[in-house]
Amino acid sequence: MAPVSVPVDPTPAGPAARGTAVPHHGRLFVTRLSSLADATGDPAAVGRLLLVAAGLAVAVGAPLLRPSSHTWLVLAVVSVVMAATLVVSARIDWTRLPRQATLVHPAMVALALTVLGLAAPTVFGPLVGVLVLCFAYIGLTQRPGTSVFALLPASGAYLVVYDELTAAVLVRLAIALLIWLLLAELLAHMSARQAALTRALRAAAHSDALTGVANRRDWQARIAAAAPGDALVLCDIDHFKAINDTHGHAVGDQVLADFGELLLGALREGDYCARYGGEEFALLLPHTSIENVTAVLARLHRRWQRIRPDVTFSAGVAVCRAGRTHDETFDAADEALYAAKRGGRDTDRIEPAPGPAAASPVGQRLHA
């Protein structure tokens, strides 16, 4: 059976993890840069910002370098191509493509610098520093190690501005490559770590620490998206207060943890469970017939009896349908649950069928 709640990322977030973290200013720097990607929503949008930033750098720097009329023509052609790339990028649905496809943005910047360098190396040579933006982009948007593949094209763009390969040029290139690589990999690792911590925090905020299932906050968001035909099940451990009073809260907590583990292991793929509060758990079974609900609850009772033969639970079932709110569906399941409690516990009840066919206010008994 597939898990029905989002697992918490195992990345440590305690003092041990903080002890290996980068200094505060470094974390702040990466957080600010990463927030740029979060604000735009995808690496392609950040890539378009890269194209704009590189274009602005060239537009500001080129007039100061006094290019010839021929060089201005080359610059105009390159600018048109980059503008076209920007427009095409905005029209592509990048979500259908792998993340690596967005590397076309820094590749276009490197290509543009190469063409400008070949056309007028002495004029556009100083603009080769724009390549650092490409590696910053790679570090923020790609997996660690990706920047290694950008070193070769970046080296080509760097070398075209020199007439000959002297020792001094090669030393400068080596230093530039080292700086670019370190920048990209540092940003990539720090961004990956931040993303892992963010996932862990989000999972922790929506899962119950004791039982491992979703918590009430997550349940509220999930039930709001429920559709007609979904079955809502409320499970309540019988005589739970007596368990705490007789055996202590540690035993009661273990019972809850065992029940959470039961739900995670016994529910079907696509089913959902959450701890609603105390000893009460809420289940949402999408597009499920009453027969399937009966089978699911029967399986839960059988497995629970093997795990905790001295503890029972009761359940109430209601079906989401058009014309009533989710709160009304929840109330119907809650009433069915109380009917199961009044009927002797260790049993399940379904809400009465709508209309004149309803034979009893306490609903149909599913399990005994």
Side-chain angles (χ1 to χ4, degrees):
M1 295 295 173
V4 292
S5 67
V6 179
V8 176
D9 194 289
T11 305
R18 290 194 294 270
T20 59
V22 297
H24 169 73
H25 295 296
R27 295 199 306 272
L28 182 62
F29 173 71
V30 174
T31 300
R32 294 285 175 82
L33 290 175
S34 297
S35 65
L36 179 64
D38 293 337
T40 54
D42 63 88
V46 183
R48 291 190 287 274
L49 290 178
L50 169 66
L51 295 178
V52 172
L56 289 175
V58 174
V60 173
L64 301 177
L65 300 173
R66 299 180 180 179
S68 64
S69 57
H70 170 73
T71 305
W72 273 115
L73 178 61
V74 175
L75 178 59
V77 172
V78 171
S79 299
V80 170
V81 173
M82 295 298 287
T85 303
L86 190 63
V87 172
V88 172
S89 173
R91 301 178 71 89
I92 292 177
D93 184 4
W94 294 96
T95 59
R96 298 178 177 272
L97 301 175
R99 177 178 289 260
Q100 293 82 352
T102 61
L103 288 172
V104 68
H105 299 94
M108 288 301 297
V109 173
L111 179 61
L113 292 173
T114 302
V115 172
L116 293 175
L118 289 172
T122 57
V123 175
F124 293 109
L127 297 179
V128 76
V130 174
L131 287 171
V132 73
L133 293 177
C134 298
F135 282 88
Y137 169 82
I138 293 172
L140 287 173
T141 63
Q142 305 296 322
R143 294 179 179 178
T146 305
S147 61
V148 174
F149 301 99
L151 294 178
L152 183 60
S155 299
Y158 187 91
L159 291 175
V160 294
V161 301
Y162 296 100
D163 295 330
E164 56 181 341
L165 295 181
T166 64
V169 170
L170 293 177
V171 169
R172 284 196 293 268
L173 174 61
I175 294 174
L177 292 177
L178 179 61
I179 293 174
W180 295 339
L181 183 63
L182 289 177
L183 172 65
E185 290 306 300
L186 177 63
L187 290 176
H189 281 86
M190 294 175 68
S191 296
R193 177 176 175 77
Q194 183 191 19
L197 292 175
T198 300
R199 289 194 300 270
L201 289 174
R202 287 175 179 172
H206 292 273
S207 62
D208 181 64
L210 177 62
T211 62
V213 301
N215 61 14
R216 185 164 179 169
R217 174 187 298 178
D218 195 75
W219 164 259
Q220 297 294 348
R222 188 61 175 262
I223 188 60
D230 294 350
L232 192 160
V233 182
L234 293 182
C235 298
D236 188 274
I237 297 176
D238 297 325
H239 303 294
F240 186 73
K241 185 178 184 301
I243 295 174
N244 279 335
D245 293 342
T246 304
H247 304 286
H249 288 278
V251 174
D253 287 349
Q254 187 58 53
V255 170
L256 294 175
D258 290 344
F259 196 77
E261 185 176 355
L262 166 75
L263 294 178
L264 293 175
L267 291 180
R268 307 163 306 169
E269 183 177 0
D271 292 344
Y272 174 86
C273 62
R275 184 183 177 190
Y276 188 78
E279 69 276 18
E280 192 169 62
F281 293 78
L283 283 60
L284 191 63
L285 314 181
H287 306 291
T288 303
S289 65
I290 294 303
E291 291 76 15
N292 286 335
V293 175
T294 303
V296 168
L297 287 172
R299 181 167 65 250
L300 289 176
H301 279 284
R302 288 195 304 270
R303 295 190 182 185
W304 182 243
Q305 190 173 28
R306 292 196 296 268
I307 298 171
R308 288 280 183 175
D310 55 335
V311 180
T312 61
F313 74 90
S314 302
V317 182
V319 178
C320 298
R321 58 175 181 260
R324 72 174 178 183
T325 66
H326 297 312
D327 287 340
E328 291 171 340
T329 304
F330 187 93
D331 291 341
D334 198 42
E335 177 58 33
L337 172 61
Y338 277 101
K341 294 284 189 180
R342 292 192 298 267
R345 294 181 171 82
D346 191 23
T347 187
D348 312 316
R349 296 292 177 91
I350 186 173
E351 65 169 332
S360 168
V362 298
Q364 176 185 355
R365 188 168 186 170
L366 297 181
H367 169 82

